[in-house]
PDB file of all heavy atoms in Angstrom:
ATOM      1  N   MET A 407     156.919 134.504 110.446  1.00 46.00           N
ATOM      2  CA  MET A 407     156.401 134.135 109.107  1.00 46.00           C
ATOM      3  C   MET A 407     155.666 135.403 108.576  1.00 46.00           C
ATOM      4  O   MET A 407     154.889 135.974 109.311  1.00 46.00           O
ATOM      5  CB  MET A 407     155.464 132.968 109.252  1.00 46.00           C
ATOM      6  CG  MET A 407     154.964 132.511 107.859  1.00 46.00           C
ATOM      7  SD  MET A 407     153.778 131.121 108.131  1.00 46.00           S
ATOM      8  CE  MET A 407     154.067 130.354 106.600  1.00 46.00           C
ATOM      9  N   ASN A 408     155.939 135.707 107.313  1.00 45.00           N
ATOM     10  CA  ASN A 408     155.294 136.858 106.709  1.00 45.00           C
ATOM     11  C   ASN A 408     153.932 136.420 106.232  1.00 45.00           C
ATOM     12  O   ASN A 408     153.746 135.674 105.299  1.00 45.00           O
ATOM     13  CB  ASN A 408     156.099 137.295 105.521  1.00 45.00           C
ATOM     14  CG  ASN A 408     155.553 138.602 104.892  1.00 45.00           C
ATOM     15  OD1 ASN A 408     154.469 139.049 105.299  1.00 45.00           O
ATOM     16  ND2 ASN A 408     156.247 139.196 103.972  1.00 45.00           N
ATOM     17  N   MET A 409     152.850 136.899 106.964  1.00 44.00           N
ATOM     18  CA  MET A 409     151.492 136.441 106.597  1.00 44.00           C
ATOM     19  C   MET A 409     151.046 136.989 105.320  1.00 44.00           C
ATOM     20  O   MET A 409     150.114 136.414 104.656  1.00 44.00           O
ATOM     21  CB  MET A 409     150.544 136.898 107.721  1.00 44.00           C
ATOM     22  CG  MET A 409     150.844 136.270 109.118  1.00 44.00           C
ATOM     23  SD  MET A 409     150.644 134.408 109.058  1.00 44.00           S
ATOM     24  CE  MET A 409     148.871 134.326 108.728  1.00 44.00           C
ATOM     25  N   ALA A 410     151.622 138.104 104.868  1.00 42.00           N
ATOM     26  CA  ALA A 410     151.207 138.685 103.562  1.00 42.00           C
ATOM     27  C   ALA A 410     151.574 137.739 102.437  1.00 42.00           C
ATOM     28  O   ALA A 410     150.914 137.791 101.368  1.00 42.00           O
ATOM     29  CB  ALA A 410     151.891 139.998 103.372  1.00 42.00           C
ATOM     30  N   ASN A 411     152.622 136.927 102.581  1.00 42.00           N
ATOM     31  CA  ASN A 411     153.055 136.007 101.486  1.00 42.00           C
ATOM     32  C   ASN A 411     152.488 134.601 101.628  1.00 42.00           C
ATOM     33  O   ASN A 411     152.800 133.709 100.931  1.00 42.00           O
ATOM     34  CB  ASN A 411     154.567 135.920 101.500  1.00 42.00           C
ATOM     35  CG  ASN A 411     155.212 137.277 101.117  1.00 42.00           C
ATOM     36  OD1 ASN A 411     154.610 138.034 100.349  1.00 42.00           O
ATOM     37  ND2 ASN A 411     156.340 137.551 101.691  1.00 42.00           N
ATOM     38  N   ARG A 412     151.676 134.388 102.747  1.00 38.00           N
ATOM     39  CA  ARG A 412     151.163 133.062 102.972  1.00 38.00           C
ATOM     40  C   ARG A 412     150.074 132.666 102.003  1.00 38.00           C
ATOM     41  O   ARG A 412     149.145 133.527 101.718  1.00 38.00           O
ATOM     42  CB  ARG A 412     150.668 132.940 104.428  1.00 38.00           C
ATOM     43  CG  ARG A 412     150.282 131.528 104.794  1.00 38.00           C
ATOM     44  CD  ARG A 412     149.799 131.521 106.241  1.00 38.00           C
ATOM     45  NE  ARG A 412     149.367 130.184 106.629  1.00 38.00           N
ATOM     46  CZ  ARG A 412     148.849 129.888 107.789  1.00 38.00           C
ATOM     47  NH1 ARG A 412     148.791 130.838 108.692  1.00 38.00           N
ATOM     48  NH2 ARG A 412     148.452 128.703 108.040  1.00 38.00           N
ATOM     49  N   ASP A 413     150.105 131.481 101.404  1.00 39.00           N
ATOM     50  CA  ASP A 413     149.054 131.054 100.465  1.00 39.00           C
ATOM     51  C   ASP A 413     147.866 130.487 101.274  1.00 39.00           C
ATOM     52  O   ASP A 413     148.021 129.480 101.980  1.00 39.00           O
ATOM     53  CB  ASP A 413     149.554 129.987  99.634  1.00 39.00           C
ATOM     54  CG  ASP A 413     148.642 129.590  98.473  1.00 39.00           C
ATOM     55  OD1 ASP A 413     147.548 130.186  98.408  1.00 39.00           O
ATOM     56  OD2 ASP A 413     148.956 128.711  97.717  1.00 39.00           O
ATOM     57  N   LEU A 414     146.790 131.300 101.293  1.00 35.00           N
ATOM     58  CA  LEU A 414     145.649 130.939 102.125  1.00 35.00           C
ATOM     59  C   LEU A 414     144.686 130.091 101.320  1.00 35.00           C
ATOM     60  O   LEU A 414     143.571 129.748 101.764  1.00 35.00           O
ATOM     61  CB  LEU A 414     144.895 132.176 102.600  1.00 35.00           C
ATOM     62  CG  LEU A 414     145.737 133.067 103.463  1.00 35.00           C
ATOM     63  CD1 LEU A 414     144.921 134.326 103.892  1.00 35.00           C
ATOM     64  CD2 LEU A 414     146.224 132.344 104.745  1.00 35.00           C
ATOM     65  N   ARG A 415     145.008 129.660 100.095  1.00 38.00           N
ATOM     66  CA  ARG A 415     144.055 128.867  99.327  1.00 38.00           C
ATOM     67  C   ARG A 415     143.995 127.454  99.825  1.00 38.00           C
ATOM     68  O   ARG A 415     144.977 126.946 100.357  1.00 38.00           O
ATOM     69  CB  ARG A 415     144.405 128.778  97.820  1.00 38.00           C
ATOM     70  CG  ARG A 415     144.266 130.188  97.115  1.00 38.00           C
ATOM     71  CD  ARG A 415     144.793 130.055  95.726  1.00 38.00           C
ATOM     72  NE  ARG A 415     146.249 129.723  95.718  1.00 38.00           N
ATOM     73  CZ  ARG A 415     146.934 129.420  94.622  1.00 38.00           C
ATOM     74  NH1 ARG A 415     146.344 129.468  93.464  1.00 38.00           N
ATOM     75  NH2 ARG A 415     148.199 129.162  94.704  1.00 38.00           N
TER      76      ARG A 415
END
Side-chain angles (χ1 to χ4, degrees):
M407 183 180 209
N408 187 354
M409 296 298 293
N411 296 327
R412 185 177 178 183
D413 187 0
L414 299 178
R415 293 175 299 174

